[in-house]
Amino acid sequence: MDSASPPFVCKWSAVGDCAIVRVNGDVDVVAVPTLETELRHVITTKLPKLVVDLRRVKVMEPAGIAVLASAHQLAVEHGGWLRTSGAARWLMDLIPNPYGSLAEALPAYRPS
């Protein structure tokens, strides 16, 4: 039996007027519906300004990238934005608004 990936987990928390959605595990066709549901829920019922923390993501299939792009558009439609943080270098050019770290992506930590 080969070593299995950790189970996919996607949870959010608030930091000021922003949400942080922490993603852990492979973003594959099985995980995409969960990611999409969580992002839509946070944007439409909690906070439309959010950072998606991708530090613990090793695999991101094209469907996952599409979900991030759609969620970015949804956030803008709701008066917010979506930023990503901590993505692997290979993923940075493919995702919306990449930041190197969570602290850089959160407005409260950005120098004025």
Side-chain angles (χ1 to χ4, degrees), residues 20-104:
I20 298 173
V21 177
R22 290 179 171 84
V23 181
N24 189 0
D26 294 348
V27 182
D28 56 17
V29 294
V30 173
V32 161
T34 302
L35 177 62
E36 184 173 35
T37 299
E38 186 69 8
L39 293 177
R40 178 172 289 284
H41 170 73
V42 170
I43 292 165
T44 60
T45 68
K46 305 299 179 191
L47 298 165
K49 297 177 183 173
L50 67 151
V51 177
V52 181
D53 180 358
L54 300 172
R55 286 178 293 173
R56 293 179 179 86
V57 172
K58 302 292 183 232
V59 173
M60 172 82 67
E61 292 186 357
I65 294 167
V67 164
L68 291 174
S70 294
H72 170 72
Q73 183 59 40
L74 183 64
V76 169
E77 290 169 6
H78 281 81
W81 43 255
L82 180 144
R83 298 174 180 169
T84 54
S85 71
R89 287 206 179 275
W90 62 266
L91 189 53
M92 300 263 312
D93 290 337
L94 303 173
I95 56 178
N97 302 322
Y99 285 75
S101 72
L102 191 55
E104 292 170 343

